[in-house]
Amino acid sequence: VGVNGAGKSTIIKLILGLYAPTEGKITINGKEVSLLSPTDRCRLISVVFQDYTKYHMKIRENLAFGNLRQINEDQVLMNGIEQSGLKEAIEQLEGGLDHRIGVECGEGSNLSEGQWQKLNLGRMYSSHANLLLLDEPTAAMDAKAESELYHHFLKLSDVKSCILISHRLGSTRICNRILVLANGRIAETGSLEDLMKAGGIYAEMF
């Protein structure tokens, strides 16, 4: 967590290898991220950004971008959109997973902003990546959808490593460890209870 411009999204992009550090190195399980091939990086890490891309293609193709080897594994893809809360909406569309979304090509159906974001989350859930990164994932969602997301996210954190960036501090209640960024540096770290007792930046924001 942190105010706008504190460096939250920059850290995510450094972990992904989209930015190269000007000094030091970033490692995952002791291996430098910069030494991982793009393929290995995509298999290991899945990310959902607030400013996501809308792919005007089939739902199946949208989901499979997280792991192209699964493009024909309907059950895996359906599990992904079920976890993201989009299953009911997809089942109502003609062709199901093969329905084309987006109207750029003059055909298909458009989705609401919240549904597009859920589709991005479905891609992450379908990917089988071990490290999940979510950068303000609920910005386009209503309160109910946000609550459902964090419920699934909490279950996933039992078997995966998850990093969540959020300006809604209520979401930090599910986190094992909170990092407070200020001016590009970690200013505070600890549990919610520890940070509240400390009475610092986090407590003031909360």
Side-chain angles (χ1 to χ4, degrees):
V1 298
V3 299
N4 290 339
K8 303 185 299 297
S9 295
T10 299
I11 285 181
I12 294 296
K13 291 172 182 176
L14 283 164
I15 294 173
L16 289 168
L18 298 176
Y19 294 165
T22 53
E23 61 182 67
K25 60 185 179 181
I26 297 170
T27 63
I28 297 177
N29 286 344
K31 189 166 186 176
E32 286 192 51
V33 173
S34 61
L35 299 179
L36 295 174
S37 70
T39 300
D40 287 341
R41 197 179 300 155
C42 287
R43 288 175 180 170
L44 176 66
I45 309 171
S46 185
V47 61
V48 176
F49 286 111
Q50 178 180 350
D51 52 342
Y52 51 87
T53 299
K54 299 176 181 177
Y55 299 107
H56 290 209
M57 306 174 76
K58 293 179 180 179
I59 293 170
R60 176 188 306 280
E61 294 165 335
N62 266 273
L63 294 167
F65 281 139
N67 187 341
L68 286 172
R69 293 173 298 176
Q70 298 176 163
I71 192 166
N72 294 314
E73 296 185 23
D74 289 16
Q75 190 58 53
V76 172
L77 301 180
M78 288 301 293
N79 286 342
I81 60 174
E82 183 174 11
Q83 289 183 78
S84 71
L86 197 58
K87 183 179 180 181
E88 185 176 339
I90 298 302
E91 289 178 337
Q92 293 176 358
L93 297 175
E94 184 178 355
L97 291 172
D98 291 308
H99 187 88
R100 182 179 294 275
I101 53 174
V103 293
E104 194 172 78
C105 298
E107 58 179 282
S109 304
N110 209 355
L111 301 177
S112 68
E113 290 298 322
Q115 288 174 325
W116 275 111
Q117 184 63 303
K118 287 181 179 180
L119 187 64
N120 278 272
L121 289 164
R123 182 183 305 130
M124 180 192 72
Y125 290 133
S126 301
S127 70
H128 294 319
N130 291 320
L131 176 58
L132 309 181
L133 310 176
L134 292 94
D135 188 358
E136 301 281 11
T138 64
M141 294 184 180
D142 57 37
K144 182 175 183 293
E146 181 182 27
S147 177
E148 291 172 349
L149 165 64
Y150 290 136
H151 175 72
H152 288 301
F153 189 64
L154 187 59
K155 288 197 297 184
L156 280 174
S157 66
D158 289 336
V159 293
K160 297 176 182 286
S161 297
C162 306
I163 298 177
L164 169 67
I165 290 177
S166 180
H167 66 278
R168 301 180 185 182
L169 296 189
S171 63
T172 60
R173 295 179 185 277
I174 69 171
C175 298
N176 302 110
R177 184 182 179 200
I178 302 169
L179 305 177
V180 183
L181 271 66
N183 300 317
R185 296 181 179 275
I186 296 174
E188 298 175 354
T189 180
S191 66
L192 186 149
E193 292 78 13
D194 292 339
L195 294 177
M196 291 299 287
K197 288 178 182 177
I201 298 172
Y202 180 86
E204 183 179 351
M205 291 175 62
F206 197 92

